[in-house]
Amino acid sequence: RVLVSVRNPEYYISDLPELRVALIGRAVADAKSRAEAIAESTGQRVGKLQSASSGVVQVMQPNSIEVSDYGSYDTSTIDKQVMVTARAVFLIR
């Protein structure tokens, strides 16, 4: 007798570490743009970056809005959307 078990394929991102670094850089740049918009509306200017940290990585199906506090990694589809959050603190002058 032979027991056969069939499972759906799982799809992973082979270059996720490199992608995560690139996304963190883009997220901090976006944070600076947002900080500049806020500062300019009050007559201030954004100064040096004081600190920055990255949050969890979300690997989701395209157009998904399901995220987790601990990160997520959807392996059900070959097409993926990757999101990372960053926290940045800038001096205001």
Side-chain angles (χ1 to χ4, degrees):
R1 200 155 59 148
V2 175
L3 178 62
V4 177
S5 176
V6 178
R7 293 178 30 185
N8 291 332
E10 294 180 343
Y11 302 96
Y12 294 88
I13 299 175
S14 60
D15 63 341
L16 186 58
E18 295 85 5
L19 181 58
R20 181 176 34 223
V21 170
L23 288 174
I24 291 170
R26 288 174 42 192
V28 171
D30 181 59
K32 184 175 182 186
S33 295
R34 292 170 186 247
E36 287 171 342
I38 293 168
E40 287 174 9
S41 70
T42 62
Q44 303 292 313
R45 296 185 60 165
V46 172
K48 292 182 179 181
L49 177 67
Q50 284 291 102
S51 66
S53 61
S54 65
V56 296
V57 176
Q58 311 284 344
V59 178
M60 309 169 290
Q61 293 182 14
N63 303 314
S64 174
I65 58 169
E66 294 185 31
V67 296
S68 168
D69 291 348
Y70 302 104
S72 62
Y73 202 122
D74 183 279
T75 61
S76 66
T77 179
I78 198 165
D79 296 320
K80 303 207 180 298
Q81 176 178 327
V82 181
M83 180 177 69
V84 64
T85 57
R87 180 177 185 272
V89 177
F90 297 94
L91 287 176
I92 298 293
R93 46 187 170 124

